[in-house]
């Protein structure tokens, strides 16, 4: 198991009780442009509703997103082997270090990375390779499909001897066995989005950014305090508790980061051929989502 954290409890960070929500609603022209770009990216969408449709109403449904990221380090060991070619054998010289006693340099925070380290004082020689039973060769007579009607041709791997060099020991007949330490750094992330009435599915917001209202990064963060939307503070407390329980069992937490963003969502109503339709424009990237585009066709690529 990982060592117990020896860091002091974090000092509570107070989010602004009056966050700057002053994000201007997008203009009708910008909403139309985003819709046009979206439709042009779809090979099966006709551009007629964009050219001929008339916007009748636009509504803003801005929402908050709380995000917690936990950067963890986990370690595991397993037996490994490689052909023995005279490498140093050190098993039994002294006690091997435990998994968490071996130095490993982590990458930058919130950068996923893996590293494999040979554990000192665990290397020994296995006298007989299990892959070839010490013969240095693996029986493997080969037939040839392109032999010029001779029925066989000389095998390039075994030079026509009817044997292949053993893959496990590379023809050496012996193996070096040792313990490998696998170190994995990964970022675990959870989001909470305040429910709104725009009709846009919450998972759509995972691919866009918003206006950052609050950010806090420490080894262990403290739940958000003082934010006007109570559900955000409750989500912060719940997710921080969940992460600290879940990710300290088999790994250690190196850094946590929490943010609150204001994400713009504009619901656009328009008419085309005397019928009403809706699309949403959302996020800093002005992504578009529509579930009822009125002019699509089915096509297939041969």
């Amino acid at each position: 198991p990982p060592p117990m954290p020896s860091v002091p409890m974090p000092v509570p960070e107070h989010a602004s009780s009056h966050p700057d929500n002053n994000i201007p609603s997008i203009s009708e022209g910008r909403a139309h442009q985003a819709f046009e770009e979206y439709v042009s990216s779809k090979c099966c969408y006709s551009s007629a509703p964009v050219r001929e449709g008339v916007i009748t109403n636009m509504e803003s449904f801005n929402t908050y997103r709380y995000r917690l990221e936990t950067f963890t380090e986990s370690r595991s060991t397993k037996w490994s082997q490689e052909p023995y070619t005279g490498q140093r054998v050190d098993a039994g010289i002294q006690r091997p270090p435990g998994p968490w006693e071996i130095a490993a340099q982590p990458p930058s925070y919130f950068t996923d990375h893996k590293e494999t380290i040979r554990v000192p004082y665990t290397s020994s020689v296995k006298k007989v390779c299990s892959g070839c039973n010490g013969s240095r060769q693996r029986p493997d007579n080969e037939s040839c499909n392109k032999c010029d009607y001779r029925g066989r041709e000389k095998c390039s791997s075994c030079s026509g001897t009817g044997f292949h060099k053993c893959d496990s020991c590379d023809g050496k007949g012996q193996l070096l066995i040792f313990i490998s330490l696998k170190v994995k750094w990964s970022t675990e992330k959870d989001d909470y989005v305040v429910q709104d009435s725009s009709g846009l599915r919450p998972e759509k917001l995972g691919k866009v950014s918003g206006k950052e209202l609050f950010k806090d990064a420490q080894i262990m963060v403290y739940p958000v305090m003082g934010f006007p939307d109570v559900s955000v503070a409750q989500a912060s407390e719940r997710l921080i508790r969940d992460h600290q329980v879940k990710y300290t069992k088999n790994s250690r937490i190196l850094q946590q980061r929490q943010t609150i963003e204001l994400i713009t969502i504009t619901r656009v109503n328009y008419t085309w051929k005397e019928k009403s339709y809706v699309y949403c424009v959302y996020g800093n990237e002005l992504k578009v989502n529509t579930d009822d585009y009125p002019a699509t066709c089915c096509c297939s690529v041969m």
Side-chain angles (χ1 to χ4, degrees):
M4 293 294 293
S6 57
V7 297
M9 286 298 294
V11 177
E13 287 281 338
H14 286 260
S16 173
S17 57
H18 302 286
D20 181 11
N21 297 347
N22 186 27
I23 296 181
S25 299
I26 63 173
S27 66
E28 183 176 312
R30 192 65 189 92
H32 183 271
Q33 182 183 351
F35 192 37
E36 183 178 33
E37 292 171 355
Y38 169 77
V39 170
S40 65
S41 69
K42 304 289 184 179
C43 65
C44 295
Y45 282 21
S46 166
S47 61
V50 178
R51 297 193 315 269
E52 303 165 4
V54 177
I55 293 178
T56 57
N57 186 40
M58 292 174 55
E59 297 176 89
S60 294
F61 295 89
N62 295 347
T63 189
Y64 296 117
R65 176 174 63 203
Y66 171 83
R67 173 170 289 170
L68 175 64
E69 297 169 280
T70 298
F71 185 60
T72 66
E73 177 182 319
S74 60
R75 299 188 174 200
S76 60
T77 56
K78 69 173 184 178
W79 282 104
S80 299
Q81 64 182 37
E82 64 183 33
Y84 177 63
T85 58
Q87 301 95 310
R88 184 170 182 263
V89 176
D90 57 8
I93 295 178
Q94 66 181 67
R95 181 187 71 85
W100 293 96
E101 296 174 328
I102 298 174
Q105 182 62 42
S108 301
Y109 288 148
F110 307 105
T111 301
D112 291 0
H113 183 62
K114 293 179 181 179
E115 184 175 340
T116 301
I117 302 171
R118 182 176 300 184
V119 178
Y121 309 114
T122 64
S123 298
S124 61
V125 176
K126 186 176 183 180
K127 295 299 180 182
V128 178
C129 169
S130 59
C132 64
N133 200 28
S135 69
R136 303 187 181 185
Q137 294 176 322
R138 177 172 57 85
D140 191 5
N141 291 312
E142 279 196 352
S143 298
C144 177
N145 293 326
K146 299 177 181 178
C147 61
D148 255 353
Y149 302 103
R150 291 176 299 176
R152 286 180 175 272
E153 77 171 0
K154 195 172 184 179
C155 172
S156 60
S157 299
C158 67
S159 300
T161 63
F163 293 92
H164 280 190
K165 184 168 62 175
C166 175
D167 296 328
S168 298
C169 67
D170 195 32
K172 306 301 180 184
Q174 294 179 320
L175 293 172
L176 183 76
I177 60 172
F178 53 91
I179 295 177
S180 292
L181 171 67
K182 180 181 178 181
V183 187
K184 179 182 178 182
W185 294 275
S186 59
T187 303
E188 313 297 339
K189 181 179 71 174
D190 277 300
D191 291 349
Y192 168 76
V193 178
V194 177
Q195 189 173 5
D196 66 82
S197 54
S198 67
L200 185 67
R201 295 191 299 276
E203 58 266 22
K204 291 287 185 180
L205 300 179
K207 298 181 180 180
V208 299
S209 60
K211 180 181 180 181
E212 189 175 277
L213 304 177
F214 171 76
K215 183 176 181 179
D216 173 35
Q218 302 184 54
I219 296 177
M220 296 277 193
V221 296
Y222 198 88
V224 170
M225 301 181 67
F227 198 73
D229 192 308
V230 177
S231 69
V232 172
Q234 292 172 340
S236 172
E237 183 176 5
R238 173 176 55 83
L239 291 176
I240 289 173
R241 181 177 61 250
D242 291 349
H243 275 219
Q244 291 180 353
V245 170
K246 185 176 181 179
Y247 299 120
T248 55
K249 289 181 179 179
N250 300 308
S251 58
R252 63 178 175 183
I253 295 175
L254 301 184
Q255 188 80 352
Q256 289 187 309
R257 179 169 64 194
Q258 58 181 343
T259 56
I260 301 175
E261 295 170 278
L262 179 65
I263 302 177
T264 60
I265 303 175
T266 303
R267 182 182 172 94
V268 182
N269 297 270
Y270 71 101
T271 59
W272 182 65
K273 291 187 176 181
E274 299 181 352
K275 291 185 179 181
S276 297
Y277 302 95
V278 175
Y279 65 89
C280 287
V281 183
Y282 57 99
N284 291 342
E285 296 81 0
L286 297 181
K287 293 278 189 179
V288 170
N289 180 76
T290 177
D291 295 326
D292 61 350
Y293 192 72
T296 63
C297 65
C298 294
C299 62
S300 61
V301 178
M302 300 301 292

Short mmCIF file of all heavy atoms in Angstrom, two decimals, residues 174-196:
data_model
loop_
_atom_site.label_atom_id
_atom_site.label_comp_id
_atom_site.label_asym_id
_atom_site.label_seq_id
_atom_site.Cartn_x
_atom_site.Cartn_y
_atom_site.Cartn_z
N GLN A 174 19.49 -19.51 -21.45
CA GLN A 174 19.31 -19.08 -20.07
C GLN A 174 18.53 -17.79 -20.01
O GLN A 174 18.55 -16.99 -20.96
CB GLN A 174 20.67 -18.89 -19.38
CG GLN A 174 21.46 -20.18 -19.21
CD GLN A 174 22.79 -19.92 -18.54
OE1 GLN A 174 23.46 -18.93 -18.83
NE2 GLN A 174 23.19 -20.81 -17.63
N LEU A 175 17.85 -17.57 -18.87
CA LEU A 175 17.06 -16.36 -18.69
C LEU A 175 17.50 -15.62 -17.43
O LEU A 175 17.86 -16.25 -16.43
CB LEU A 175 15.57 -16.70 -18.56
CG LEU A 175 14.86 -17.27 -19.79
CD1 LEU A 175 13.46 -17.72 -19.41
CD2 LEU A 175 14.79 -16.22 -20.89
N LEU A 176 17.46 -14.29 -17.50
CA LEU A 176 17.61 -13.47 -16.30
C LEU A 176 16.20 -13.13 -15.84
O LEU A 176 15.40 -12.58 -16.61
CB LEU A 176 18.39 -12.20 -16.61
CG LEU A 176 18.67 -11.29 -15.40
CD1 LEU A 176 19.78 -11.89 -14.55
CD2 LEU A 176 19.04 -9.88 -15.85
N ILE A 177 15.87 -13.46 -14.61
CA ILE A 177 14.56 -13.12 -14.07
C ILE A 177 14.73 -12.07 -12.98
O ILE A 177 15.72 -12.06 -12.25
CB ILE A 177 13.83 -14.37 -13.53
CG1 ILE A 177 14.62 -15.04 -12.41
CG2 ILE A 177 13.54 -15.36 -14.65
CD1 ILE A 177 13.86 -16.16 -11.71
N PHE A 178 13.76 -11.18 -12.90
CA PHE A 178 13.83 -10.07 -11.95
C PHE A 178 12.43 -9.50 -11.75
O PHE A 178 11.49 -9.84 -12.48
CB PHE A 178 14.78 -8.97 -12.47
CG PHE A 178 14.45 -8.51 -13.86
CD1 PHE A 178 13.58 -7.44 -14.08
CD2 PHE A 178 14.99 -9.15 -14.97
CE1 PHE A 178 13.27 -7.03 -15.36
CE2 PHE A 178 14.68 -8.75 -16.26
CZ PHE A 178 13.82 -7.69 -16.46
N ILE A 179 12.29 -8.65 -10.76
CA ILE A 179 11.01 -8.00 -10.48
C ILE A 179 11.01 -6.62 -11.14
O ILE A 179 11.97 -5.85 -11.00
CB ILE A 179 10.76 -7.87 -8.97
CG1 ILE A 179 10.62 -9.26 -8.35
CG2 ILE A 179 9.51 -7.04 -8.69
CD1 ILE A 179 10.44 -9.25 -6.84
N SER A 180 9.93 -6.34 -11.88
CA SER A 180 9.75 -5.02 -12.50
C SER A 180 8.72 -4.22 -11.71
O SER A 180 7.70 -4.76 -11.28
CB SER A 180 9.26 -5.17 -13.95
OG SER A 180 10.25 -5.72 -14.77
N LEU A 181 9.02 -2.95 -11.55
CA LEU A 181 8.09 -2.03 -10.91
C LEU A 181 7.46 -1.15 -11.98
O LEU A 181 8.17 -0.48 -12.74
CB LEU A 181 8.82 -1.14 -9.89
CG LEU A 181 8.01 0.01 -9.30
CD1 LEU A 181 6.89 -0.51 -8.41
CD2 LEU A 181 8.91 0.97 -8.52
N LYS A 182 6.14 -1.18 -12.06
CA LYS A 182 5.41 -0.32 -13.00
C LYS A 182 4.84 0.86 -12.23
O LYS A 182 4.06 0.68 -11.30
CB LYS A 182 4.29 -1.11 -13.69
CG LYS A 182 3.49 -0.28 -14.69
CD LYS A 182 2.38 -1.10 -15.33
CE LYS A 182 1.55 -0.27 -16.29
NZ LYS A 182 0.45 -1.06 -16.90
N VAL A 183 5.23 2.05 -12.64
CA VAL A 183 4.73 3.28 -12.02
C VAL A 183 3.82 3.98 -13.01
O VAL A 183 4.19 4.19 -14.17
CB VAL A 183 5.89 4.21 -11.61
CG1 VAL A 183 5.35 5.40 -10.81
CG2 VAL A 183 6.94 3.46 -10.81
N LYS A 184 2.63 4.32 -12.56
CA LYS A 184 1.64 4.95 -13.44
C LYS A 184 1.14 6.24 -12.81
O LYS A 184 0.68 6.24 -11.66
CB LYS A 184 0.47 3.99 -13.68
CG LYS A 184 -0.63 4.55 -14.57
CD LYS A 184 -1.76 3.55 -14.72
CE LYS A 184 -2.89 4.11 -15.57
NZ LYS A 184 -4.02 3.15 -15.68
N TRP A 185 1.24 7.32 -13.57
CA TRP A 185 0.68 8.59 -13.15
C TRP A 185 -0.55 8.89 -14.01
O TRP A 185 -0.48 8.82 -15.25
CB TRP A 185 1.70 9.72 -13.31
CG TRP A 185 2.88 9.60 -12.41
CD1 TRP A 185 2.99 10.02 -11.13
CD2 TRP A 185 4.16 9.02 -12.72
NE1 TRP A 185 4.22 9.74 -10.61
CE2 TRP A 185 4.97 9.13 -11.57
CE3 TRP A 185 4.68 8.41 -13.85
CZ2 TRP A 185 6.27 8.66 -11.52
CZ3 TRP A 185 5.99 7.94 -13.81
CH2 TRP A 185 6.77 8.07 -12.65
N SER A 186 -1.65 9.19 -13.38
CA SER A 186 -2.88 9.41 -14.14
C SER A 186 -3.73 10.49 -13.48
O SER A 186 -3.62 10.74 -12.27
CB SER A 186 -3.69 8.11 -14.28
OG SER A 186 -4.03 7.59 -13.01
N THR A 187 -4.58 11.10 -14.30
CA THR A 187 -5.48 12.16 -13.83
C THR A 187 -6.90 11.62 -13.80
O THR A 187 -7.43 11.20 -14.82
CB THR A 187 -5.41 13.38 -14.76
OG1 THR A 187 -4.06 13.84 -14.83
CG2 THR A 187 -6.29 14.51 -14.24
N GLU A 188 -7.49 11.63 -12.63
CA GLU A 188 -8.88 11.21 -12.46
C GLU A 188 -9.74 12.47 -12.40
O GLU A 188 -9.42 13.41 -11.67
CB GLU A 188 -9.06 10.38 -11.19
CG GLU A 188 -8.01 9.29 -11.00
CD GLU A 188 -8.04 8.23 -12.10
OE1 GLU A 188 -9.09 8.10 -12.77
OE2 GLU A 188 -7.03 7.54 -12.29
N LYS A 189 -10.83 12.48 -13.16
CA LYS A 189 -11.62 13.70 -13.30
C LYS A 189 -13.11 13.41 -13.13
O LYS A 189 -13.62 12.41 -13.62
CB LYS A 189 -11.38 14.32 -14.68
CG LYS A 189 -12.12 15.62 -14.94
CD LYS A 189 -11.80 16.16 -16.33
CE LYS A 189 -12.44 15.32 -17.42
NZ LYS A 189 -12.26 15.92 -18.76
N ASP A 190 -13.79 14.31 -12.42
CA ASP A 190 -15.25 14.25 -12.30
C ASP A 190 -15.82 15.65 -12.46
O ASP A 190 -15.25 16.62 -11.95
CB ASP A 190 -15.67 13.67 -10.95
CG ASP A 190 -15.66 12.14 -10.95
OD1 ASP A 190 -16.39 11.55 -11.76
OD2 ASP A 190 -14.91 11.55 -10.14
N ASP A 191 -16.95 15.73 -13.16
CA ASP A 191 -17.64 17.00 -13.38
C ASP A 191 -19.02 16.98 -12.74
O ASP A 191 -19.65 15.92 -12.64
CB ASP A 191 -17.82 17.28 -14.88
CG ASP A 191 -16.51 17.58 -15.59
OD1 ASP A 191 -15.50 17.79 -14.89
OD2 ASP A 191 -16.50 17.60 -16.83
N TYR A 192 -19.47 18.15 -12.33
CA TYR A 192 -20.86 18.34 -11.93
C TYR A 192 -21.38 19.56 -12.67
O TYR A 192 -20.78 20.64 -12.59
CB TYR A 192 -20.98 18.55 -10.41
CG TYR A 192 -22.36 19.04 -10.01
CD1 TYR A 192 -23.45 18.17 -9.96
CD2 TYR A 192 -22.57 20.39 -9.71
CE1 TYR A 192 -24.72 18.61 -9.63
CE2 TYR A 192 -23.84 20.84 -9.37
CZ TYR A 192 -24.91 19.96 -9.32
OH TYR A 192 -26.16 20.41 -8.99
N VAL A 193 -22.47 19.39 -13.41
CA VAL A 193 -23.07 20.49 -14.15
C VAL A 193 -24.43 20.81 -13.54
O VAL A 193 -25.26 19.90 -13.36
CB VAL A 193 -23.23 20.14 -15.65
CG1 VAL A 193 -23.92 21.28 -16.39
CG2 VAL A 193 -21.88 19.83 -16.27
N VAL A 194 -24.64 22.06 -13.20
CA VAL A 194 -25.92 22.48 -12.64
C VAL A 194 -27.00 22.29 -13.69
O VAL A 194 -26.85 22.71 -14.84
CB VAL A 194 -25.87 23.95 -12.19
CG1 VAL A 194 -27.24 24.40 -11.67
CG2 VAL A 194 -24.80 24.14 -11.11
N GLN A 195 -28.07 21.65 -13.31
CA GLN A 195 -29.14 21.34 -14.25
C GLN A 195 -29.79 22.63 -14.76
O GLN A 195 -30.04 23.57 -14.00
CB GLN A 195 -30.19 20.46 -13.59
CG GLN A 195 -31.24 19.91 -14.54
CD GLN A 195 -32.15 18.89 -13.86
OE1 GLN A 195 -32.05 18.67 -12.66
NE2 GLN A 195 -33.04 18.29 -14.63
N ASP A 196 -30.03 22.66 -16.07
CA ASP A 196 -30.72 23.80 -16.67
C ASP A 196 -31.88 23.28 -17.51
O ASP A 196 -32.07 22.09 -17.66
CB ASP A 196 -29.76 24.64 -17.53
CG ASP A 196 -29.27 23.86 -18.74
OD1 ASP A 196 -30.01 23.82 -19.74
OD2 ASP A 196 -28.16 23.28 -18.69
#
